[in-house]
Amino acid sequence: MAEQQEGTLSGYRVLDLVDKKGAYCTKMLADLGADVIKVEGPEGDPTRSVPPFAGDVPHQERSLYFLYRHANKRGVTLNLEVPDGKSIFKKLVASADVLVETYPPGYLASLGLGYEELKKINPALIMASITEFGQGGPYRDWKGSEIVSYALSNTMITSGFADGAPINLPGTPSYDAASLIAAISIVTALYMRGSSGKGQYIDTSVHETSRLGLYPWMVTMYSYNINPGSPPPGPEGRLGAAIYPVYPCKDGMIRVVALTPRQWDALVKVLGEPEVLRLPEWREFFYRIANANDLYALMLEFTTKYTMLELAERGRQEGVPIAPIYDVSGFVSNPHTKARGFFVDVEHPAVGKYKAPGPPYKWKGTYCGIKRPAPCLGQHNEEIYCEELGLSRDDLAILRNTGAI
Amino acid sequence: MPSTPLQGIRVISFGTGAVIPDFGKIMGELGADVIKMESRENMDFMRTIGADPDNIGGFNESNRSKRSFGVNLRKDKGRELVRRLIKMTDIIGENFRGGVMKSHGLDYENVRQVKPDIIYVSSQGFGSGGPFADYQAYGPMLSAASGLLSLWAHPTDPYPVGANVPLPDHMASKQAVFAAIAALDYRRRTGKGQFIDMSQVEVAAGLIGEACLDYTINKRVQKPAGNRSPYSAPNSCYRCKGNDQWCAISVSTDAEWQAFCRAIGNPPWTKEAKFGDVLGRVRNVEELDKLVEEWTLQHEPGDVMNTLQKAGVAAGVCLRPAETLTDPQLQWLNAFVEVDHPVAGKRIYPNVPFKMSEAKLPPSRPAPILGQHTVEICRELLKMSDSEINRLKDEGVLEVSKR
């Protein structure tokens, strides 16, 4: 089968001036074939020092965070705060379709590189800003972090055991929510530009998007529950252990999601119809939530008779969703992940060959995958500045010396 | 220039639960005509978790800005009507259990016979193909199967429980919208349609790609880190004054540490050398966290947040829904919209979370009653006569709202 090389977004150029808030956004565009150019300061993007590192060797080319989030992108160095850097940046902007930036509000404008300036250079430019709190408002200049934005998303309060401290999510999920939503607005703007010819400016914030990516129903459920006659439960308690219970089994743990009476009946069948589980009150979802600890104690005897996959398969046959709880090795190595081909081969000049997670979808009509590893610092300076923007190699030497690139 | 971004685009949604319903909602918010296919016999399960299928918060949130077409897909005539609608459709989204669309003859290969340039987003929990392909899968199971849940715990927890949050559902829905609109732009340029097979478990794993690489490159299976960070301290969620009140705080740089110390009044322990640099704070984080919590316990979480943010330190209350409604920044952002639903009444929903300088977005419309738009769609799009509509209603092919 001939491999298709053209991606859905091939032909578009994206300038990536992002930190953790936008890394997944530009990755999504790159995975679909956009020419994403990561623009880093001459000293390198700060996330190049995020641990852990390949081989546990701290090095600017070995941060697993950077390797994952910036695969499929090219990279240049550029100092936006000096005149030479600014003029090169304007050339890049003239050649670009999209610019994504995550600087504090007003920073680029203070350099004379705000949207109003850039659209004079390129009226078709789509510029998207992702900030913690937005371009204005009382929290505009407040700071965020992974755990802070998760707390503010109003979902952290529901995380963990009922009587323990709320738990942070692994990774950078609030930032990824912002990235996903910014990516939607960017492709929407590209689609609009197809008929209008005009670019536009997009403003989005982690504060507003995190709840939408994590759990947009919270406020709505609250707004339904504060009215009389509305159904329980309220969304606010830490009920994960009760709503989506986890049970040990022979070779690990499973998670069961039985919401309806039919699913509960199926679960009882899966476990061999033990008498203690056949009491009619257990069929009630809210009864099970209210008595989750008692139920947990009862269930152990039966779930531990089976393996994870035995239970998942029996659940499939009887009609109750049961999933194995994998650690990362279990996810990487299980037959399903392998059959899907989710992990793909990547070769990086400093790290060597390794398997990396691919995009979460397969496209039939166009290429979607990992074509190149994350860029080394300044790897594409020559390719882009000389071959594409027409600077000479002597120019590059001078710009390097003056700290512009 | 179109008046809304997706004006003139029609989307058909075979959706249940969260992923494709939320996908359709977003397409509707951007101006597409989104038609939800449903029937009483095979309802979106989110309609079935309460007493009244038209009065469920989660359903009514994820199904705003759509029309409902009540049709029984188990009947030949029902499927035939759907095929006729597909000819007038740009995008299909479906997240029925693996194999269901095929059994209806509505899978991509069949659909593109009648609409060659269709954009078809198919999303199952585990994607198509592979041994788990036809597992019924809700979000919380996918966070479990992806490795994400295994890292979502305090190091001392007996096992991970995650949250009430059905992650990755609402991430997957956004990924699907992104894909569909990218495909729409590609179709505009090339005339070609697309089939996109999205796996929700892979969306979940994509959130912890670094941990995946730690395994594939370093052969290390990460353990849950709870609220700790490898490179900043204090970095946690601290108990505050009041009942179950919490505030998250992150201090990364030395400058932020000094600002933090000043903001909490420079208690003597902040002068200790072991807390003087990042390395020292990370190494002595257990002791540090206890000392920080002694301070937070004396203050309400909103005061902790305001005091620290004024000093330039990242801090955020573990907000509850009621508090988000009064959050001044969310108000400034216009983050919520009130929508009047014929059964549920006036309720609060999240607004479109971005501002696009050139886009005019349509007002949010309430989720439809099951079958609310069957007749108007039959008349307008299928050009059917009332007698034909009534006959198909009597035969149980079409379903209309009883409200």
Side-chain angles (χ1 to χ4, degrees):
Chain A
M1 199 176 77
E3 201 183 330
Q4 289 151 319
Q5 289 304 310
E6 189 186 54
T8 310
L9 297 177
S10 287
Y12 287 129
R13 173 170 290 181
V14 179
L15 302 182
D16 167 316
L17 282 80
V18 303
D19 62 12
K20 286 183 176 177
K21 295 188 283 293
Y24 197 74
C25 171
T26 47
K27 175 178 159 53
M28 289 167 72
L29 300 166
D31 288 351
L32 293 191
D35 174 22
V36 177
I37 301 175
K38 177 143 196 69
V39 180
E40 307 177 58
E43 67 292 346
D45 188 284
T47 63
R48 287 183 179 274
S49 60
V50 170
F53 298 90
D56 289 328
V57 178
H59 184 275
Q60 64 183 18
E61 306 304 345
R62 303 180 76 90
S63 160
L64 301 181
Y65 175 89
F66 193 89
L67 289 172
Y68 172 59
R69 304 274 164 173
H70 297 297
N72 270 339
K73 304 176 190 176
R74 299 195 288 168
V76 295
T77 53
L78 193 60
N79 182 350
L80 298 179
E81 298 190 347
V82 300
D84 284 332
K86 281 180 198 177
S87 67
I88 293 175
F89 183 65
K90 287 178 181 172
K91 283 186 189 155
L92 278 174
V93 167
S95 76
D97 301 283
V98 176
L99 188 165
V100 190
E101 65 94 13
T102 58
Y103 290 114
Y107 172 75
L108 281 177
S110 76
L111 301 179
L113 301 173
Y115 176 67
E116 293 307 316
E117 290 302 314
L118 299 182
K119 84 170 178 190
K120 287 179 202 155
I121 302 167
N122 181 357
L125 180 73
I126 292 157
M127 176 165 163
S129 297
I130 309 172
T131 50
E132 291 283 356
F133 294 100
Q135 295 293 318
Y139 296 180
R140 189 190 80 153
D141 299 319
W142 280 21
K143 285 190 178 164
S145 74
E146 286 92 330
I147 195 169
V148 165
S149 57
Y150 183 46
L152 290 170
S153 76
N154 93 5
T155 54
M156 185 168 186
I157 194 69
T158 79
S159 304
F161 284 94
D163 49 358
I167 308 169
N168 196 20
L169 268 162
T172 58
S174 299
Y175 294 161
D176 297 346
S179 274
L180 282 155
I181 286 169
I184 289 173
S185 66
I186 288 165
V187 288
T188 301
L190 282 168
Y191 177 70
M192 290 173 73
R193 198 181 73 169
S195 46
S196 73
K198 277 168 74 176
Q200 58 183 309
Y201 177 71
I202 299 160
D203 169 16
T204 190
S205 70
V206 176
H207 193 42
E208 186 168 3
T209 52
S210 56
R211 75 204 60 245
L212 288 162
L214 296 168
Y215 198 18
W217 296 354
M218 294 278 291
V219 159
T220 299
M221 283 161 67
Y222 167 77
S223 124
Y224 275 67
N225 284 349
I226 52 176
N227 289 282
S230 56
E236 298 176 42
R238 293 198 273 291
L239 297 173
I243 304 177
Y244 311 123
V246 167
Y247 300 111
C249 54
K250 237 185 206 172
D251 58 344
M253 289 178 287
I254 50 150
R255 192 176 227 185
V256 180
V257 184
L259 303 175
T260 65
R262 229 177 64 192
Q263 287 170 333
W264 170 256
D265 294 342
L267 177 60
V268 174
K269 260 192 184 164
V270 163
L271 297 175
E273 311 216 38
E275 274 309 309
V276 286
L277 298 179
R278 293 177 68 187
L279 302 177
E281 51 266 37
W282 286 127
R283 298 185 81 231
E284 285 298 315
F285 179 57
F286 297 119
Y287 182 83
R288 293 200 298 278
I289 289 182
N291 297 280
N293 290 340
D294 294 346
L295 182 59
Y296 182 82
L298 284 180
M299 291 286 288
L300 296 185
E301 186 188 336
F302 308 105
T303 56
T304 47
K305 288 179 181 167
Y306 307 93
T307 65
M308 296 191 287
L309 290 185
E310 278 168 2
L311 288 168
E313 179 55 29
R314 290 166 73 101
R316 187 184 69 83
Q317 285 165 10
E318 300 296 345
V320 56
I322 298 175
I325 297 181
Y326 284 132
D327 61 16
V328 172
S329 78
F331 172 70
V332 174
S333 315
N334 77 65
H336 185 81
T337 304
K338 291 206 158 145
R340 288 271 305 172
F342 179 54
F343 283 84
V344 296
D345 292 314
V346 175
E347 186 166 5
H348 183 281
V351 178
K353 284 186 185 170
Y354 60 89
K355 295 264 184 202
Y361 31 44
K362 311 270 180 249
W363 291 62
K364 202 162 234 165
T366 46
Y367 177 82
C368 173
I370 311 288
K371 272 188 180 171
R372 60 166 90 229
C376 295
L377 185 60
Q379 186 182 339
H380 302 94
N381 281 0
E382 267 195 34
E383 187 175 303
I384 291 169
Y385 293 150
C386 298
E387 289 164 32
E388 295 176 21
L389 295 187
L391 297 179
S392 70
R393 280 177 178 70
D394 289 344
D395 292 340
L396 280 205
I398 296 169
L399 292 169
R400 245 180 235 122
N401 268 332
T402 59
I405 65 171
Chain B
M1 175 163 165
S3 66
T4 65
L6 299 184
Q7 196 198 23
I9 297 300
R10 183 164 298 119
V11 178
I12 289 185
S13 151
F14 300 92
T16 183
V19 177
I20 291 300
D22 193 48
F23 157 89
K25 177 204 76 177
I26 298 169
M27 302 300 274
E29 285 178 318
L30 294 171
D33 174 22
V34 183
I35 300 174
K36 182 179 180 75
M37 298 291 165
E38 40 180 354
S39 73
R40 289 193 183 88
E41 206 180 313
N42 187 26
M43 268 196 256
D44 182 332
F45 85 83
M46 277 303 297
R47 281 201 189 272
T48 69
I49 65 160
D52 182 341
D54 296 315
N55 196 11
I56 291 162
F59 180 89
N60 286 353
E61 150 53 16
S62 282
N63 290 281
R64 280 183 292 143
S65 298
K66 296 176 193 174
R67 301 200 279 176
S68 169
F69 188 70
V71 61
N72 189 338
L73 295 176
R74 295 205 172 98
K75 300 207 180 239
D76 289 342
K77 283 182 185 166
R79 295 194 297 271
E80 186 46 40
L81 290 177
V82 170
R83 266 190 286 272
R84 279 174 61 196
L85 280 173
I86 285 173
K87 285 182 192 165
M88 297 171 248
T89 293
D90 303 282
I91 298 169
I92 291 175
E94 73 92 6
N95 68 335
F96 287 169
R97 199 210 283 223
V100 169
M101 291 302 278
K102 190 162 190 180
S103 75
H104 292 319
L106 294 170
D107 56 314
Y108 177 65
E109 291 307 327
N110 273 299
V111 162
R112 75 166 173 174
Q113 305 300 319
V114 296
K115 184 75 165 91
D117 66 350
I118 194 79
I119 293 161
Y120 194 118
V121 183
S122 179
S123 177
Q124 277 69 48
F126 289 96
S128 75
F132 303 164
D134 61 352
Y135 279 23
Q136 193 180 355
Y138 299 137
M141 300 167 57
L142 303 168
S143 55
S146 63
L148 176 72
L149 183 65
S150 77
L151 300 174
W152 193 2
H154 295 297
T156 49
D157 284 345
Y159 54 91
V161 295
N164 306 15
V165 175
L167 200 66
D169 284 352
H170 297 95
M171 297 284 203
S173 58
K174 273 77 176 179
Q175 194 96 35
V177 173
F178 166 75
I181 299 175
L184 193 61
D185 185 63
Y186 183 78
R187 193 192 70 174
R188 179 181 61 74
R189 290 178 282 134
T190 64
K192 290 180 190 162
Q194 288 277 359
F195 175 70
I196 300 147
D197 157 23
M198 187 180 76
S199 158
Q200 295 157 26
V201 76
E202 291 169 10
V203 172
L207 300 174
I208 52 161
E210 304 84 359
C212 291
L213 291 185
D214 209 7
Y215 179 70
T216 59
I217 296 177
N218 294 334
K219 295 286 164 255
R220 180 190 292 122
V221 179
Q222 289 192 1
K223 300 269 180 278
N227 292 339
R228 300 255 159 89
S229 154
Y231 47 85
S232 64
N235 181 92
S236 192
C237 184
Y238 299 93
R239 194 184 283 277
C240 300
K241 193 172 162 183
N243 177 28
D244 200 27
Q245 299 293 319
W246 303 82
C247 186
I249 300 170
S250 287
V251 175
S252 296
T253 64
D254 290 334
E256 284 170 0
W257 168 248
Q258 278 139 25
F260 174 80
C261 296
R262 275 195 305 277
I264 69 167
N266 288 315
W269 59 266
T270 57
K271 307 277 191 298
E272 290 183 38
K274 62 184 166 194
F275 300 138
D277 56 26
V278 179
L279 219 53
R281 291 193 292 279
V282 169
R283 271 197 203 122
N284 297 290
V285 64
E286 209 138 321
E287 191 186 347
L288 180 60
D289 277 348
K290 280 194 189 113
L291 293 163
V292 171
E293 199 159 81
E294 280 176 18
W295 176 75
T296 57
L297 274 168
Q298 299 165 34
H299 305 277
E300 284 169 13
D303 294 336
V304 170
M305 173 171 77
N306 283 301
T307 302
L308 294 179
Q309 286 283 7
K310 267 179 206 148
V313 174
V317 174
C318 257
L319 291 177
R320 290 180 160 82
E323 296 162 321
T324 66
L325 290 172
T326 54
D327 178 291
Q329 187 66 16
L330 291 174
Q331 286 177 351
W332 186 88
L333 290 163
N334 202 13
F336 302 109
V337 56
E338 187 181 75
V339 178
D340 196 358
H341 183 279
V343 176
K346 287 182 181 169
R347 307 285 175 165
I348 308 293
Y349 303 88
N351 213 342
V352 180
F354 45 72
K355 293 167 182 60
M356 298 177 69
S357 63
E358 299 296 318
K360 199 176 115 197
L361 299 180
S364 184
R365 284 170 289 139
I369 311 292
L370 202 159
Q372 185 180 341
H373 305 95
T374 311
V375 172
E376 82 178 39
I377 289 167
C378 285
R379 284 182 189 151
E380 275 173 27
L381 299 179
L382 299 172
K383 312 288 180 208
M384 287 162 64
S385 68
D386 285 0
S387 64
E388 201 179 350
I389 294 169
N390 285 329
R391 205 183 62 236
L392 290 173
K393 242 163 45 185
D394 293 343
E395 291 175 19
V397 172
L398 290 175
E399 297 178 13
V400 299
S401 161
K402 289 187 176 144
R403 281 196 144 110

